[in-house]
Protein backbone atom coordinates (compact mmCIF):
# COMPACT_ATOMS: atom_id res chain seq x y z
CA UNK A 1 0.00 0.00 0.00
CA UNK A 2 1.54 3.31 -1.05
CA UNK A 3 0.80 6.70 0.40
CA UNK A 4 -0.64 9.19 -2.06
CA UNK A 5 -0.69 12.91 -1.41
CA UNK A 6 -2.11 15.70 -3.49
CA UNK A 7 -3.27 19.25 -3.04
CA UNK A 8 -5.70 21.37 -5.01
CA UNK A 9 -6.06 25.12 -5.02
CA UNK A 10 -9.45 26.50 -4.01
CA UNK A 11 -10.06 28.17 -7.34
CA UNK A 12 -13.85 27.87 -7.28
CA UNK A 13 -16.22 25.28 -8.69
CA UNK A 14 -14.17 22.79 -10.76
CA UNK A 15 -14.55 22.78 -14.52
CA UNK A 16 -15.07 19.61 -16.51
CA UNK A 17 -11.34 19.87 -17.20
CA UNK A 18 -10.44 19.93 -13.51
CA UNK A 19 -12.82 17.06 -12.92
CA UNK A 20 -11.57 14.74 -15.68
CA UNK A 21 -7.96 15.88 -15.34
CA UNK A 22 -7.49 15.71 -11.59
CA UNK A 23 -10.36 15.32 -9.22
CA UNK A 24 -11.82 12.15 -10.69
CA UNK A 25 -8.41 10.48 -10.60
CA UNK A 26 -8.09 11.31 -6.95
CA UNK A 27 -11.14 9.27 -6.16
CA UNK A 28 -9.96 6.39 -8.37
CA UNK A 29 -6.65 6.28 -6.49
CA UNK A 30 -8.55 5.47 -3.31
CA UNK A 31 -8.54 1.84 -4.44
CA UNK A 32 -5.31 0.28 -3.29
CA UNK A 33 -3.61 3.38 -1.84
CA UNK A 34 -3.67 5.33 1.38
CA UNK A 35 -4.79 8.76 0.14
CA UNK A 36 -4.28 12.12 1.77
CA UNK A 37 -5.85 15.09 0.01
CA UNK A 38 -5.78 18.71 0.92
CA UNK A 39 -7.35 21.97 -0.19
CA UNK A 40 -4.33 24.26 -0.26
CA UNK A 41 -5.70 27.51 1.10
CA UNK A 42 -2.20 28.64 2.13
CA UNK A 43 -0.96 28.35 -1.43
CA UNK A 44 -3.98 30.36 -2.55
CA UNK A 45 -2.83 33.62 -0.96
CA UNK A 46 0.41 33.96 -2.93
CA UNK A 47 -1.13 36.10 -5.67
CA UNK A 48 -3.48 38.47 -3.85
CA UNK A 49 -7.02 37.50 -2.90
CA UNK A 50 -10.25 38.53 -1.24
CA UNK A 51 -10.64 36.80 2.17
CA UNK A 52 -14.37 36.18 1.79
CA UNK A 53 -13.95 34.73 -1.66
CA UNK A 54 -11.10 32.51 -0.48
CA UNK A 55 -13.19 31.14 2.39
CA UNK A 56 -16.15 30.45 0.12
CA UNK A 57 -14.04 28.80 -2.56
CA UNK A 58 -12.16 26.68 -0.05
CA UNK A 59 -15.39 25.21 1.22
CA UNK A 60 -16.75 24.82 -2.31
CA UNK A 61 -13.68 22.84 -3.29
CA UNK A 62 -14.12 20.60 -0.26
CA UNK A 63 -17.76 20.03 -1.25
CA UNK A 64 -16.71 19.31 -4.83
CA UNK A 65 -14.17 16.72 -3.73
CA UNK A 66 -16.69 15.01 -1.46
CA UNK A 67 -19.35 15.12 -4.20
CA UNK A 68 -17.01 13.59 -6.79
CA UNK A 69 -16.26 10.61 -4.62
CA UNK A 70 -13.55 11.38 -2.09
CA UNK A 71 -14.72 9.21 0.76
CA UNK A 72 -13.73 10.52 4.20
CA UNK A 73 -14.08 6.98 5.57
CA UNK A 74 -11.28 5.81 3.30
CA UNK A 75 -9.18 8.93 2.69
CA UNK A 76 -7.98 11.89 4.67
CA UNK A 77 -9.33 15.23 3.44
CA UNK A 78 -8.52 18.53 5.13
CA UNK A 79 -7.78 22.24 4.77
CA UNK A 80 -4.02 22.88 4.58
CA UNK A 81 -4.05 25.77 7.07
CA UNK A 82 -5.59 23.51 9.74
CA UNK A 83 -2.42 21.41 10.01
CA UNK A 84 0.57 23.47 11.22
CA UNK A 85 3.08 20.76 10.31
CA UNK A 86 3.03 22.04 6.70
CA UNK A 87 4.36 25.52 7.43
CA UNK A 88 6.82 24.20 10.01
CA UNK A 89 8.41 21.86 7.51
CA UNK A 90 7.91 24.47 4.82
CA UNK A 91 10.22 26.82 6.72
CA UNK A 92 12.90 24.17 7.05
CA UNK A 93 12.60 23.45 3.32
CA UNK A 94 12.88 27.13 2.44
CA UNK A 95 16.26 26.93 4.11
CA UNK A 96 17.19 23.70 2.34
CA UNK A 97 16.13 24.78 -1.15
CA UNK A 98 18.62 27.06 -2.94
CA UNK A 99 17.62 30.44 -4.28
CA UNK A 100 18.81 29.32 -7.69
CA UNK A 101 16.55 26.25 -7.65
CA UNK A 102 13.48 28.32 -6.92
CA UNK A 103 14.51 30.91 -9.52
CA UNK A 104 14.35 28.22 -12.19
CA UNK A 105 10.74 27.24 -11.51
CA UNK A 106 8.88 27.92 -14.74
CA UNK A 107 5.59 28.45 -12.94
CA UNK A 108 7.15 31.24 -10.87
CA UNK A 109 8.59 32.81 -13.99
CA UNK A 110 5.23 32.61 -15.77
CA UNK A 111 3.24 33.98 -12.86
CA UNK A 112 5.69 36.72 -11.93
CA UNK A 113 6.25 37.78 -15.53
CA UNK A 114 7.82 41.20 -15.76
CA UNK A 115 6.57 42.11 -12.31
CA UNK A 116 9.22 40.28 -10.22
CA UNK A 117 9.87 43.20 -7.90
CA UNK A 118 6.26 43.29 -6.84
CA UNK A 119 5.10 39.70 -6.47
CA UNK A 120 4.84 38.25 -2.99
CA UNK A 121 7.83 36.43 -1.54
CA UNK A 122 5.40 33.57 -0.94
CA UNK A 123 4.94 33.12 -4.68
CA UNK A 124 8.67 32.49 -4.87
CA UNK A 125 8.91 30.07 -1.93
CA UNK A 126 5.65 28.28 -2.76
CA UNK A 127 7.37 25.14 -4.13
CA UNK A 128 9.15 24.64 -0.80
CA UNK A 129 5.76 24.60 0.93
CA UNK A 130 4.47 22.18 -1.68
CA UNK A 131 7.43 19.88 -0.99
CA UNK A 132 6.57 20.11 2.71
CA UNK A 133 2.93 19.22 2.00
CA UNK A 134 4.07 15.97 0.45
CA UNK A 135 7.00 15.05 2.68
CA UNK A 136 5.28 15.86 5.98
CA UNK A 137 3.53 12.55 5.28
CA UNK A 138 6.47 10.82 3.59
CA UNK A 139 4.08 10.27 0.70
CA UNK A 140 5.61 8.59 -2.34
CA UNK A 141 3.00 9.07 -5.07
CA UNK A 142 1.77 12.48 -6.10
CA UNK A 143 -1.00 12.77 -8.71
CA UNK A 144 -0.57 16.09 -10.51
CA UNK A 145 -1.04 17.68 -13.88
CA UNK A 146 1.96 18.06 -16.14
CA UNK A 147 2.40 21.71 -15.05
CA UNK A 148 3.40 20.51 -11.57
CA UNK A 149 6.03 18.03 -12.67
CA UNK A 150 8.88 20.45 -12.06
CA UNK A 151 7.68 21.08 -8.51
CA UNK A 152 7.64 17.36 -7.80
CA UNK A 153 11.20 17.08 -9.13
CA UNK A 154 12.18 19.96 -6.85
CA UNK A 155 10.61 18.03 -3.96
CA UNK A 156 13.09 15.24 -4.66
CA UNK A 157 16.00 17.70 -4.79
CA UNK A 158 14.95 19.07 -1.42
CA UNK A 159 14.52 15.58 0.05
CA UNK A 160 17.96 14.56 -1.18
CA UNK A 161 19.68 17.64 0.16
CA UNK A 162 17.94 17.29 3.51
CA UNK A 163 18.93 13.62 3.69
CA UNK A 164 22.50 14.47 2.74
CA UNK A 165 22.85 17.35 5.19
CA UNK A 166 21.01 15.98 8.19
CA UNK A 167 20.97 12.18 8.04
CA UNK A 168 24.08 10.12 8.81
CA UNK A 169 22.26 6.83 8.81
CA UNK A 170 19.41 6.11 6.46
CA UNK A 171 17.71 8.73 4.31
CA UNK A 172 14.89 10.30 6.29
CA UNK A 173 12.67 11.45 3.44
CA UNK A 174 11.69 9.08 0.60
CA UNK A 175 11.84 10.03 -3.06
CA UNK A 176 8.47 10.82 -4.55
CA UNK A 177 7.06 9.90 -7.90
CA UNK A 178 4.67 12.12 -9.83
CA UNK A 179 1.61 10.30 -11.09
CA UNK A 180 1.11 12.33 -14.25
CA UNK A 181 -2.42 12.15 -15.48
CA UNK A 182 -2.71 10.95 -19.05
CA UNK A 183 -3.43 12.99 -22.19
CA UNK A 184 -6.99 11.64 -22.30
CA UNK A 185 -7.61 13.87 -19.34
CA UNK A 186 -6.62 17.07 -21.10
CA UNK A 187 -9.86 18.89 -21.76
CA UNK A 188 -9.72 21.90 -24.08
CA UNK A 189 -11.82 25.04 -24.40
CA UNK A 190 -15.14 24.56 -26.19
CA UNK A 191 -14.44 27.71 -28.19
CA UNK A 192 -10.84 27.02 -29.18
CA UNK A 193 -9.47 23.48 -29.31
CA UNK A 194 -5.89 24.67 -28.92
CA UNK A 195 -6.41 26.23 -25.45
CA UNK A 196 -6.97 24.42 -22.17
CA UNK A 197 -10.46 24.63 -20.66
CA UNK A 198 -9.96 27.23 -17.97
CA UNK A 199 -11.84 28.99 -15.20
CA UNK A 200 -10.25 32.23 -16.21
CA UNK A 201 -11.39 32.11 -19.85
CA UNK A 202 -13.40 35.30 -20.47
CA UNK A 203 -16.07 33.29 -22.28
CA UNK A 204 -18.32 31.21 -20.03
CA UNK A 205 -19.26 29.25 -23.13
CA UNK A 206 -15.72 27.90 -23.26
CA UNK A 207 -16.08 25.79 -20.12
CA UNK A 208 -18.48 23.46 -18.38
CA UNK A 209 -18.61 23.63 -14.61
CA UNK A 210 -19.49 20.52 -12.65
CA UNK A 211 -22.45 22.44 -11.23
CA UNK A 212 -23.91 23.44 -14.62
CA UNK A 213 -27.53 22.43 -15.09
CA UNK A 214 -28.82 20.35 -17.98
CA UNK A 215 -29.89 23.36 -20.04
CA UNK A 216 -26.58 25.16 -19.87
CA UNK A 217 -24.63 21.97 -20.57
CA UNK A 218 -26.74 21.32 -23.66
CA UNK A 219 -26.41 24.90 -24.84
CA UNK A 220 -22.65 25.02 -24.35
CA UNK A 221 -22.16 21.74 -26.20
CA UNK A 222 -24.50 22.80 -28.99
CA UNK A 223 -22.51 26.02 -29.40
CA UNK A 224 -19.14 24.35 -29.09
CA UNK A 225 -16.86 25.09 -32.01
CA UNK A 226 -16.55 22.29 -34.58
CA UNK A 227 -15.67 21.85 -38.22
CA UNK A 228 -18.02 20.94 -41.08
CA UNK A 229 -16.77 17.36 -41.61
CA UNK A 230 -18.53 14.36 -40.05
CA UNK A 231 -16.64 12.43 -37.38
CA UNK A 232 -13.92 10.11 -38.71
CA UNK A 233 -14.09 6.41 -38.02
CA UNK A 234 -10.49 6.18 -36.72
CA UNK A 235 -8.57 8.35 -34.21
CA UNK A 236 -6.03 9.24 -36.95
CA UNK A 237 -8.76 11.24 -38.63
CA UNK A 238 -8.87 13.58 -35.63
CA UNK A 239 -5.40 14.96 -36.32
CA UNK A 240 -5.55 18.61 -37.26
CA UNK A 241 -9.12 18.79 -35.92
CA UNK A 242 -8.56 19.94 -32.34
CA UNK A 243 -12.20 20.72 -31.58
CA UNK A 244 -13.42 17.34 -32.83
CA UNK A 245 -10.61 15.64 -30.96
CA UNK A 246 -11.58 17.41 -27.75
CA UNK A 247 -15.26 16.49 -27.96
CA UNK A 248 -14.40 12.86 -28.68
CA UNK A 249 -11.86 12.85 -25.85
CA UNK A 250 -14.45 14.10 -23.38
CA UNK A 251 -16.85 11.31 -24.33
CA UNK A 252 -14.09 8.72 -24.05
CA UNK A 253 -12.94 9.98 -20.65
CA UNK A 254 -16.47 10.08 -19.24
CA UNK A 255 -17.13 6.51 -20.36
CA UNK A 256 -13.65 5.21 -19.39
CA UNK A 257 -12.85 4.16 -22.95
CA UNK A 258 -10.72 5.65 -25.71
CA UNK A 259 -11.31 7.66 -28.87
CA UNK A 260 -11.19 4.56 -31.06
CA UNK A 261 -14.11 3.06 -29.16
CA UNK A 262 -16.13 6.26 -29.30
CA UNK A 263 -15.49 6.55 -33.05
CA UNK A 264 -16.65 2.98 -33.63
CA UNK A 265 -20.07 4.19 -32.54
CA UNK A 266 -20.04 7.73 -33.93
CA UNK A 267 -17.69 7.61 -36.93
CA UNK A 268 -19.40 9.00 -40.04
CA UNK A 269 -22.07 10.81 -38.02
CA UNK A 270 -22.39 14.60 -38.07
CA UNK A 271 -21.83 16.85 -35.09
CA UNK A 272 -25.55 17.52 -34.65
CA UNK A 273 -26.14 13.93 -33.62
CA UNK A 274 -22.92 13.57 -31.75
CA UNK A 275 -23.37 16.71 -29.69
CA UNK A 276 -26.79 15.55 -28.59
CA UNK A 277 -25.34 12.26 -27.34
CA UNK A 278 -22.43 14.00 -25.64
CA UNK A 279 -24.69 16.52 -23.89
CA UNK A 280 -26.93 13.71 -22.61
CA UNK A 281 -23.91 11.85 -21.31
CA UNK A 282 -22.56 14.95 -19.55
CA UNK A 283 -25.92 15.63 -17.94
CA UNK A 284 -26.13 12.04 -16.73
CA UNK A 285 -22.60 12.11 -15.27
CA UNK A 286 -22.52 15.63 -13.82
CA UNK A 287 -26.13 15.90 -12.64
CA UNK A 288 -25.69 13.70 -9.56
CA UNK A 289 -22.41 15.46 -8.67
CA UNK A 290 -24.02 18.90 -8.86
CA UNK A 291 -26.96 17.72 -6.76
CA UNK A 292 -24.66 16.27 -4.10
CA UNK A 293 -22.59 19.43 -4.04
CA UNK A 294 -25.72 21.54 -3.51
CA UNK A 295 -26.83 19.23 -0.72
CA UNK A 296 -23.46 19.50 1.01
CA UNK A 297 -23.18 23.27 0.60
CA UNK A 298 -26.54 23.76 2.28
CA UNK A 299 -24.83 22.67 5.49
CA UNK A 300 -21.36 24.24 5.69
CA UNK A 301 -20.82 23.18 9.31
CA UNK A 302 -21.01 19.52 8.32
CA UNK A 303 -18.45 20.04 5.54
CA UNK A 304 -16.08 21.82 7.91
CA UNK A 305 -16.63 19.08 10.50
CA UNK A 306 -15.58 16.41 8.01
CA UNK A 307 -12.46 18.38 7.13
CA UNK A 308 -11.68 19.08 10.78
CA UNK A 309 -11.73 15.35 11.41
CA UNK A 310 -9.40 14.95 8.43
CA UNK A 311 -7.07 17.56 9.89
CA UNK A 312 -6.87 15.60 13.14
CA UNK A 313 -5.94 12.46 11.21
CA UNK A 314 -3.45 14.37 9.07
CA UNK A 315 -1.81 15.91 12.13
CA UNK A 316 -1.46 12.50 13.75
CA UNK A 317 0.68 11.38 10.79
CA UNK A 318 2.61 14.56 10.06
CA UNK A 319 3.37 15.86 13.59
CA UNK A 320 5.86 13.13 14.51
CA UNK A 321 7.51 13.24 11.06
CA UNK A 322 7.97 17.00 11.14
CA UNK A 323 9.09 17.00 14.76
CA UNK A 324 11.75 14.44 13.90
CA UNK A 325 12.84 16.52 10.89
CA UNK A 326 13.16 19.59 13.12
CA UNK A 327 15.13 17.59 15.67
CA UNK A 328 17.54 16.51 12.94
CA UNK A 329 18.04 20.13 11.96
CA UNK A 330 19.08 20.82 15.55
CA UNK A 331 15.99 22.37 17.08
CA UNK A 332 15.78 21.39 20.75
CA UNK A 333 11.99 21.25 20.72
CA UNK A 334 12.17 21.76 24.50
N1 LIG B 1 0.79 23.40 -6.61
C1 LIG B 1 -0.36 22.57 -6.91
C2 LIG B 1 -1.18 23.25 -8.00
O1 LIG B 1 -1.15 24.44 -8.13
C3 LIG B 1 -1.21 22.35 -5.70
C4 LIG B 1 -0.45 21.67 -4.61
C5 LIG B 1 -0.06 22.22 -3.45
C6 LIG B 1 -0.02 20.32 -4.61
N2 LIG B 1 0.57 21.29 -2.68
C7 LIG B 1 0.63 20.14 -3.35
C8 LIG B 1 -0.11 19.27 -5.52
C9 LIG B 1 1.20 18.91 -3.03
C10 LIG B 1 0.46 18.05 -5.17
C11 LIG B 1 1.11 17.87 -3.94
O2 LIG B 1 -1.90 22.57 -8.69
Amino acid sequence: MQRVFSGIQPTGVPTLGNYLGAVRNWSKLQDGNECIYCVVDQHAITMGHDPKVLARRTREMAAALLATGIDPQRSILFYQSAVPAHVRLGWVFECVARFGWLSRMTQFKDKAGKNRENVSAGLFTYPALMAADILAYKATRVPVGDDQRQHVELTNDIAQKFNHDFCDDEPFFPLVEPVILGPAARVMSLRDGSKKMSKSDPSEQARILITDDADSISLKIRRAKTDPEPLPSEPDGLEGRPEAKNLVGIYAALTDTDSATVLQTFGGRGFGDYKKALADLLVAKLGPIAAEMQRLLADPATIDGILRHGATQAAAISEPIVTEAERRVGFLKA
Side-chain angles (χ1 to χ4, degrees):
M1 189 103 148
Q2 291 207 62
R3 186 172 284 164
V4 168
F5 183 97
S6 198
I8 191 162
Q9 299 225 26
T11 44
V13 175
T15 64
L16 178 66
N18 302 133
Y19 171 61
L20 291 176
V23 172
R24 191 177 64 145
N25 296 285
W26 284 18
S27 64
K28 287 187 178 168
L29 282 164
Q30 292 178 120
D31 297 323
N33 295 288
E34 177 191 7
C35 294
I36 305 176
Y37 295 130
C38 144
V39 183
V40 293
D41 50 0
Q42 289 172 319
H43 282 286
I45 66 169
T46 52
M47 296 272 285
H49 71 286
D50 173 333
K52 284 209 184 67
V53 174
L54 175 62
R56 173 170 56 76
R57 289 186 173 168
T58 300
R59 197 177 286 116
E60 270 171 8
M61 187 54 79
L65 293 172
L66 292 167
T68 52
I70 303 299
D71 175 1
Q73 307 292 332
R74 290 202 287 162
S75 301
I76 299 178
L77 178 66
F78 64 103
Y79 300 133
Q80 184 185 29
S81 61
V83 180
H86 295 237
V87 279
R88 281 167 49 200
L89 189 60
W91 174 251
V92 172
F93 284 175
E94 281 178 42
C95 299
V96 171
R98 304 293 87 186
F99 193 90
W101 299 358
L102 294 173
S103 308
R104 283 189 283 279
M105 293 296 113
T106 57
Q107 190 169 68
F108 172 74
K109 290 193 262 186
D110 290 347
K111 288 195 172 174
K114 292 194 188 75
N115 192 28
R116 278 211 189 186
E117 284 296 309
N118 268 315
V119 294
S120 73
L123 185 69
F124 186 70
T125 58
Y126 170 122
L129 181 59
M130 176 165 160
D133 294 338
I134 300 165
L135 292 174
Y137 302 89
K138 296 191 176 181
T140 50
R141 303 188 71 202
V142 182
V144 283
D146 200 41
D147 62 326
Q148 296 296 313
R149 186 196 290 273
Q150 198 187 25
H151 291 161
V152 177
E153 285 162 6
L154 180 87
T155 301
N156 282 333
D157 292 338
I158 291 175
Q160 267 168 329
K161 183 162 167 55
F162 182 97
N163 290 341
H164 175 268
D165 292 354
F166 303 116
C167 308
D168 299 328
D169 41 8
E170 299 202 322
F172 182 66
F173 287 117
L175 292 184
V176 309
E177 177 205 339
V179 181
I180 303 286
L181 310 161
R186 211 173 141 78
V187 179
M188 311 308 278
S189 157
L190 299 178
R191 311 299 295 177
D192 176 353
S194 67
K195 284 200 317 206
K196 235 172 106 168
M197 180 179 285
S198 157
K199 269 172 226 169
S200 52
D201 196 306
S203 166
E204 278 186 29
Q205 303 295 317
R207 61 179 161 267
I208 289 174
L209 298 179
I210 63 169
T211 48
D212 280 351
D213 62 22
D215 287 346
S216 50
I217 291 176
S218 302
L219 192 68
K220 287 175 184 180
I221 292 295
R222 220 177 320 130
R223 290 196 181 150
K225 189 174 163 197
T226 46
D227 54 44
E229 303 295 316
L231 282 167
S233 45
E234 310 271 333
D236 283 353
L238 294 169
E239 286 319 311
R241 300 177 66 187
E243 284 82 16
K245 189 172 178 178
N246 186 39
L247 294 181
V248 171
I250 292 172
Y251 199 105
L254 284 168
T255 48
D256 283 308
T257 53
D258 52 21
S259 304
T261 312
V262 176
L263 292 174
Q264 270 164 27
T265 312
F266 292 101
R269 312 249 294 260
F271 278 104
D273 257 13
Y274 179 68
K275 282 177 162 182
K276 172 97 187 47
L278 178 59
D280 289 347
L281 177 67
L282 278 161
V283 169
K285 295 280 179 181
L286 297 184
I289 295 174
E292 177 62 3
M293 224 179 125
Q294 291 313 327
R295 191 188 71 79
L296 287 161
L297 284 170
D299 183 7
T302 299
I303 300 175
D304 290 355
I306 293 170
L307 274 84
R308 174 101 289 280
H309 176 66
T312 306
Q313 294 174 299
I317 300 173
S318 54
E319 268 300 308
I321 293 174
V322 171
T323 298
E324 173 60 14
E326 288 177 324
R327 204 191 56 71
R328 284 174 181 253
V329 167
F331 297 166
L332 294 175
K333 307 298 296 174

